[in-house]
Amino acid sequence: MLSKYPLSEVEKAFLAESGVDKISTLIPYLLVDNFPKLGLLTACRFLEWVAENPEGVISLPTGKSPEFFIKWTQHLLENWDNKKGKEVREKYGLGACKKPVLKDLTFVQIDEFYPISSKQHNSFFDYVNKFYIQGFGLSQEKAILINSDEIPLADGLHFSQVFPDLKVDLSLRFRDPISDQEKIQQKSIYMIDQWCGDYEQRIRDKGGIGFFLGGIGPDGHIAFNTRGSHIFSVTRLTDTNFETQAVAAGDLGGIEISANRLVMTIGLDTIVYNPDAVGIIIAAGEAKAGIVRDSLETPLNNVYPATVLQKLKNGRFYLTKGAAVKLTDSLDSYYQKGEWTFEKTERAVLELCKKLNKYGHRIKIGDLKADKYTKLIPGLNEDTVNQVMKAAEAKLAKGLEQESNEVLLHTGPHHDDISLGILPHITNQLNEPSNEAHFSVLTSGFTAVTNTFVIDTLQTTKRLLDEGKIQMVNFEDFFEVGYSLKTDKDVYHFLTNVASENPDARKRGLCHRVVRALVIVYGVKNKTQLRETINEVISVLKNSYDGEKNPAKIQKVKGMIREFEEELVWAHFGVQVKNVHHLRLGFYTGDIFTEQPDKNRDVDPIVDMFRKIKPTKISLTLDPEGSGPDTHYKVLQATAEAVKKWSQEHDTSNLRIIGYRNVWFKFEPHEANVIVPVSLGDMSVMEDSFSNCYLSQVNASFPSYAHNGKFSTVAKRTWVGQLNDIQLLLGKNYFYQHDRAKVRASHGLIFFRDMNVEEFLATARELEKSIDGMV
C-alpha cells in the first residue's frame, strides 16, 4: 500500500516515527501519538507544499481542530533559521527546505453559515481573517472568501431585510411564492445560487484547490458536505443534518439557531477537482474512530463523504492513535503485537459474541478457532468463554457491594456530568447513613446557558418583584448580608414545588437564586439598583448576537444558575448546599482555543478541597483525549496533578479513584472493572431529576450529536446498550433468574473503573501524552 502512493519527505519522516508497517485502507493514513503532534505533522506538510507552490491555492479549516496546526505553522515560520526551528525541520523532513513565503498564496474559504454577519466573531469569515489572512500573512486581495454581508440579493437589499428572521426557505427554489416578501426571497435565493456558481468558477479558474486541509464531523461530513452529499457536488447553499447542527450549536449559541441556519460550502468535487491536489483530513480522539474506519475502509460512497479522497493520489488521513483504534490495521496490531493480556481475551470473546450474535454459553471451540482474533488466545480451550463470563460476574458482584463509612467526593467537569455518569451508583451510596457525600463541579459551565434562557428568567424576576413575590429583598439587611443566607431554603422551596407540580412557584425559586447571584456579582445595594442591573443585563444580552462571548459578569451569573441546578439535583437525596462545591477553574474561559490547566490557578483549589473533605473515594470522568468537550480532559489532568500533590502530604494508600464516562463516550466491557445494575426506578429518578433541575438544559440547546433531545435520554440508552452487551455474554436468564433482586430488576448497566492512586496516575500519564509536544 505504501509504495503505491508518492510520500513527501515530511510524510516519510512521520511514517518512520510511527512504526506503522502495514496500511490496508483505501486512503493512506499517517499516525501520531497526540493532538499537538497532529498539528505539527499538518504544519510541516503544509509548509513543505507551500515551499514548492508559493503561488498555490490553499483551503484550510475553521473551528477547534486546527488549533495546533495554526500554532505550529506560526512557530516554525518564526523560528525557521534558529536552533529551535532547525531541530524540528531536520527531524521531520524539512531540513533542505527554503523558508516558505505565504503572501502570494490564494486562500479559499471552505464554508460559512448563512446568513451570518461577517462582523460576528463566530462567523468563519472572521475566523479566516484572524487566524489565516492576518495570522499567516496571506493576501487579502487574492483570497476567495464568503462574506454574507456582500453577497448580492434582490433589489440590492441586505440579508437582514430579505430574511428578517435569518431563516432561508429553500423550498422557494421549486414552488411559487405566496407573498411579496417570498417573491423577494425567491429572487434572492436564485441570486445566491448564481453567486455560488461564480465562486466555484473562480476556484476552477485557478486550477482548483492545490492544498486542502479539513476536519471530519460525527456523520462523516467534510466541509459542510454531510452524509449523503453527491460525490460530484459543487459550491452551494444547503441545509445540514442534525449531527452537524449539534456540532455547530456551540458556534451559534444553541441548536435552536443552528437547526435553522443554512450553510454555504464548497462541494466534494471542488475538493478533488485538481487531480494533483494534496487533500488531508485530520481527526483526533477515540470519538472519531468509528467514522474514521468507515471513511477509510469503504469504497467511494456518498454515505461517507470523505471517501471522495480516494480520487486523489495525494489524498491522506492524518490521525491520532485514538482516532485510529477501530481500523482493521489497528485491531490486527492490538491483538498480534505485545504481551497477551486477559483484557485482550475478554475483548476478543465479547466481539465474537456480537459478530456471531450468539450468547456466550453457545460459543463453541470451533467458533473460537475460526475467528482471526480469538484463535490467538493462548491456551485456547473449552473453558475460555467460561473464564470471561466469570470475570463479568465478578465485576457485577463488585457493583453490588454495599459501601459504608466512606467519605465520597464525586467530581465532574460540567454540571450534570456526575448525574449522567453514575447517579444510580451514588443513590446506593447515599442510602447508607454512615457515608458522607460531597459533590464538586470543577468549571463554571456558563457556555451551556443560552442568552434566551437568562433573558426569560430576568423578565420573570422583574415581574415577580413588581408583584411583591420576592419578599426577601424587603428585609432591611438583605443587601448587606441576607442575600448570602438561607440558600438551602431556596433549594427546599424549589423541590417542594416539584413535588406539588407547581411550575410557577419553581420559576419563582429560580428567580430568588438569580437575585442573590446579581447582588453578589454586581454588588447591588438596594432595590432600585437591582432593577437597573436586571435591565442592564437584559439589554446587553438582547444586543448580543447568538454565540457571542458574554462579558465576565454575565458569564458568572450564567455559571451560578448552573450551580443552583446542581444543588437541586443532590438535594433530592438530602445533600446540603454546603456539601456541593463550585470550583470555577480559571482555564474555562469560553474562548475558541481554551488554555491548558495552570498548576497554581487550577490545581491548588482542588488540593484545598481534598484537604478540607479528606475523601476516601473520588469519582471523576475518565474520557479518552478528544472524545467530547476537551474540558473533560483538562479537568482530568488538573485532578490528577492535585491527587499527586495531595499524596505528598497525606497518606493516600487506601484512596480509591472511580473513573466514569457518560454521554460523550462510553467504556467497552473489557475496559471496566465494576458493573452496576440499573433498574427502571433508577432511570426514572435520573430522568426526573434531570428534567426538573437542569432547567437551562432541558431543551438541550447544546445536545449530543447522538440524540436530538435531553442528555438524560442519551445516558439511559448507553446504560441499556451496556446491558445488551453483557446479556449477550451471560445470557438473559442470568439476569431475570438471579438470586439478587437488584440484578433481576436491572434494565441497564453502568460501567466504571475502580483504581488505586498509582493506577489512576499511570492512566492519567498515558493520557497526558496527548498534550506532549505543545508549542
Side-chain angles (χ1 to χ4, degrees):
M1 176 69 180
L2 299 178
S3 57
K4 264 175 63 180
Y5 291 87
L7 293 182
S8 76
E9 292 307 308
V10 164
E11 289 177 323
K12 285 175 189 171
F14 277 91
L15 178 65
E17 187 177 81
S18 72
V20 172
D21 52 14
K22 183 188 84 167
I23 294 178
S24 62
T25 51
L26 297 168
I27 302 166
Y29 61 88
L30 285 176
L31 277 192
V32 292
D33 286 334
N34 52 55
F35 190 32
K37 196 73 167 283
L38 191 63
L40 174 61
L41 164 58
T42 43
C44 289
R45 181 68 185 104
F46 171 65
L47 293 171
E48 179 184 42
W49 184 89
V50 174
E52 294 166 6
N53 302 274
E55 296 184 5
V57 180
I58 63 169
S59 204
L60 305 175
T62 51
K64 292 189 176 181
S65 299
E67 175 181 1
F68 290 104
F69 162 70
I70 292 167
K71 287 177 177 174
W72 270 114
T73 299
Q74 290 172 331
H75 176 81
L76 286 168
L77 287 171
E78 286 162 13
N79 296 281
W80 195 265
D81 291 317
N82 67 24
K83 187 171 180 287
K84 267 197 296 190
K86 277 182 179 169
E87 278 176 7
V88 175
R89 289 198 295 115
E90 279 161 20
K91 186 174 181 182
Y92 292 115
L94 287 172
C97 222
K98 276 190 184 169
K99 184 177 179 180
V101 177
L102 278 61
K103 67 179 178 61
D104 295 320
L105 295 168
T106 297
F107 184 93
V108 173
Q109 186 174 334
I110 292 176
D111 47 21
E112 181 60 282
F113 301 113
Y114 188 86
I116 189 169
S117 172
S118 60
K119 297 174 187 69
Q120 290 185 201
H121 293 309
N122 59 344
S123 72
F124 293 157
F125 180 88
D126 182 83
Y127 183 109
V128 161
N129 274 279
K130 181 179 177 183
F131 291 111
Y132 294 135
I133 306 295
Q134 292 162 29
F136 286 6
L138 302 177
S139 163
Q140 181 79 52
E141 292 69 38
K142 285 189 167 193
I144 301 174
L145 304 178
I146 304 171
N147 183 336
S148 296
D149 291 312
E150 293 179 0
I151 295 172
L153 303 176
D155 304 336
L157 296 171
H158 186 259
F159 69 69
S160 58
Q161 297 164 294
V162 177
F163 308 108
D165 58 358
L166 303 182
K167 292 178 185 175
V168 182
D169 182 358
L170 289 183
S171 73
L172 282 165
R173 279 180 177 149
F174 315 111
R175 66 172 175 84
D176 290 336
I178 57 172
S179 66
D180 289 342
Q181 183 74 18
E182 281 202 346
K183 282 178 186 171
I184 291 169
Q185 290 175 342
Q186 185 184 63
K187 187 178 176 187
S188 296
I189 290 168
Y190 292 151
M191 290 175 74
I192 293 167
D193 290 342
Q194 177 64 40
W195 185 91
C196 288
D198 294 343
Y199 190 88
E200 180 77 19
Q201 193 59 52
R202 288 171 70 194
I203 298 168
R204 295 192 178 212
D205 287 347
K206 293 273 185 184
I209 295 165
F211 186 95
F212 173 85
L213 177 64
I216 188 164
D219 70 319
H221 72 249
I222 54 172
F224 273 127
N225 296 286
T226 55
R227 184 180 57 248
S229 293
H230 201 294
I231 292 295
F232 293 98
S233 54
V234 292
T235 304
R236 65 206 183 279
L237 176 69
T238 184
D239 47 18
T240 55
N241 56 15
F242 170 72
E243 294 102 318
T244 306
Q245 291 158 9
V247 172
D251 294 313
L252 290 175
I255 189 76
E256 54 276 15
I257 295 123
S258 60
N260 291 304
R261 199 65 58 92
L262 299 187
V263 293
M264 282 183 176
T265 180
I266 62 175
L268 295 174
D269 200 52
T270 321
I271 294 167
V272 299
Y273 173 73
N274 176 353
D276 296 319
V278 170
I280 298 167
I281 299 294
I282 53 173
E286 288 188 36
K288 293 282 173 74
I291 194 62
V292 163
R293 175 200 58 213
D294 294 337
S295 300
L296 285 175
E297 297 185 358
T298 306
L300 193 63
N301 189 312
N302 69 332
V303 175
Y304 302 111
T307 57
V308 77
L309 261 63
Q310 291 171 30
K311 292 184 173 189
L312 295 176
K313 62 179 182 289
N314 291 311
R316 303 281 189 273
F317 269 58
Y318 290 173
L319 307 169
T320 65
K321 286 180 176 170
V325 292
K326 291 191 177 176
L327 292 176
T328 303
D329 292 341
S330 298
L331 286 171
D332 288 349
S333 177
Y334 168 80
Y335 285 112
Q336 291 165 6
K337 293 180 180 175
E339 179 199 355
W340 188 278
T341 60
F342 185 69
E343 197 176 278
K344 287 186 182 181
T345 301
E346 282 183 291
R347 183 176 178 184
V349 168
L350 278 157
E351 287 303 315
L352 183 61
C353 289
K354 285 186 197 174
K355 276 183 223 166
L356 302 180
N357 196 25
K358 269 189 182 182
Y359 291 118
H361 62 271
R362 293 208 172 129
I363 297 283
K364 304 285 186 244
I365 189 73
D367 297 324
L368 295 167
K369 287 178 176 173
D371 181 71
K372 74 169 176 174
Y373 298 139
T374 51
K375 72 180 183 185
L376 302 173
I377 297 170
L380 185 65
N381 61 46
E382 299 279 358
D383 196 42
T384 297
V385 177
N386 199 33
Q387 288 171 359
V388 174
M389 291 167 75
K390 280 181 179 162
E393 289 175 34
K395 293 176 187 183
L396 264 163
K398 205 168 175 192
L400 289 165
E401 287 171 7
Q402 182 61 60
E403 297 154 283
S404 57
N405 298 303
E406 300 281 7
V407 180
L408 306 156
L409 172 58
H410 293 292
T411 73
H414 305 91
H415 308 82
D416 74 21
D417 276 329
I418 306 168
S419 170
L420 293 168
I422 49 170
L423 180 61
H425 176 61
I426 292 170
T427 54
N428 293 342
Q429 295 172 327
L430 293 174
N431 285 335
E432 167 53 53
S434 67
N435 290 330
E436 177 190 329
H438 293 259
F439 299 85
S440 179
V441 178
L442 277 70
T443 71
S444 153
F446 59 80
T447 57
V449 182
T450 62
N451 291 351
T452 306
F453 181 84
V454 178
I455 291 167
D456 290 348
T457 303
L458 290 175
Q459 285 173 335
T460 305
T461 305
K462 269 201 329 186
R463 177 174 57 76
L464 292 171
L465 284 166
D466 291 343
E467 294 169 0
K469 288 184 178 171
I470 299 185
Q471 293 153 348
M472 63 184 184
V473 298
N474 298 320
F475 298 145
E476 60 183 52
D477 69 342
F478 176 75
F479 292 98
E480 285 74 50
V481 68
Y483 67 86
S484 64
L485 306 174
K486 297 190 177 177
T487 48
D488 276 309
K489 189 180 174 186
D490 293 345
V491 170
Y492 190 78
H493 168 85
F494 184 99
L495 293 181
T496 298
N497 288 293
V498 168
S500 61
E501 299 186 10
N502 187 337
D504 290 340
R506 287 206 299 270
K507 195 81 189 257
R508 188 172 146 230
L510 171 64
C511 294
H512 268 77
R513 182 54 73 90
V514 167
V515 166
R516 294 184 193 275
L518 292 170
V519 173
I520 291 166
V521 174
Y522 287 88
V524 174
K525 298 300 180 198
N526 53 55
K527 284 193 277 187
T528 306
Q529 208 181 335
L530 175 61
R531 193 173 296 277
E532 287 168 357
T533 302
I534 290 171
N535 287 332
E536 178 198 331
V537 175
I538 290 172
S539 173
V540 169
L541 292 176
K542 280 190 168 175
N543 289 304
S544 301
Y545 55 80
D546 292 307
E548 183 174 359
K549 187 178 174 182
N550 297 131
K553 286 185 176 179
I554 292 179
Q555 286 181 349
K556 196 167 183 184
V557 170
K558 283 186 170 184
M560 290 171 87
I561 289 171
R562 298 235 61 199
E563 290 166 2
F564 178 54
E565 294 173 344
E566 195 72 14
E567 290 166 12
L568 291 172
V569 169
W570 304 117
H572 270 66
F573 310 99
V575 176
Q576 293 179 290
V577 168
K578 68 181 174 62
N579 280 26
V580 184
H581 310 273
H582 310 297
L583 260 59
R584 306 174 188 168
L585 297 186
F587 76 83
Y588 186 87
T589 58
D591 293 314
I592 186 155
F593 301 146
T594 56
E595 303 169 40
Q596 294 299 322
D598 175 84
K599 288 196 174 168
N600 297 321
R601 180 194 62 197
D602 298 316
V603 174
D604 286 350
I606 307 174
V607 179
D608 287 342
M609 179 171 66
F610 291 165
R611 287 181 185 127
K612 284 177 197 147
I613 295 169
K614 295 190 171 51
T616 57
K617 283 196 173 183
I618 298 170
S619 76
L620 42 78
T621 51
L622 196 68
D623 285 354
E625 173 261 337
S627 64
D630 65 352
T631 305
H632 282 219
Y633 172 68
K634 289 173 180 174
V635 162
L636 174 69
Q637 290 306 325
T639 308
E641 196 60 41
V643 168
K644 205 186 297 180
K645 208 166 175 180
W646 192 45
S647 295
Q648 291 163 6
E649 61 186 67
H650 178 85
D651 178 11
T652 55
S653 53
N654 293 318
L655 177 66
R656 302 302 297 179
I657 309 287
I658 305 302
Y660 65 87
R661 291 177 179 170
N662 52 35
V663 298
W664 298 107
F665 210 72
K666 62 189 179 73
F667 282 117
E668 294 300 326
H670 65 274
E671 296 176 302
N673 60 9
V674 181
I675 299 177
V676 178
V678 181
S679 68
L680 286 174
D682 292 327
M683 291 183 194
S684 296
V685 169
M686 192 268 293
E687 187 84 65
D688 287 350
S689 61
F690 188 94
S691 300
N692 290 323
C693 302
Y694 292 119
L695 306 168
S696 65
Q697 305 306 299
V698 170
N699 294 325
S701 286
F702 304 97
S704 158
Y705 60 79
H707 173 63
N708 189 1
K710 291 182 291 189
F711 283 128
S712 50
T713 308
V714 184
K716 273 180 15 182
R717 287 179 180 177
T718 298
W719 298 345
V720 171
Q722 290 175 171
L723 173 70
N724 291 341
D725 284 352
I726 298 301
Q727 274 187 341
L728 197 51
L729 178 67
L730 297 181
K732 289 185 179 174
N733 297 13
Y734 175 85
F735 287 88
Y736 67 75
Q737 293 178 354
H738 202 276
D739 58 354
R740 290 283 295 270
K742 185 80 182 156
V743 178
R744 292 197 300 275
S746 60
H747 291 279
L749 297 174
I750 288 173
F751 296 164
F752 62 80
R753 195 184 296 167
D754 182 328
M755 300 164 281
N756 62 28
V757 168
E758 207 174 293
E759 289 165 334
F760 166 61
L761 292 177
T763 304
R765 271 195 297 278
E766 271 303 301
L767 278 170
E768 199 171 9
K769 289 178 185 171
S770 312
I771 55 167
D772 282 352
M774 294 275 292
V775 182

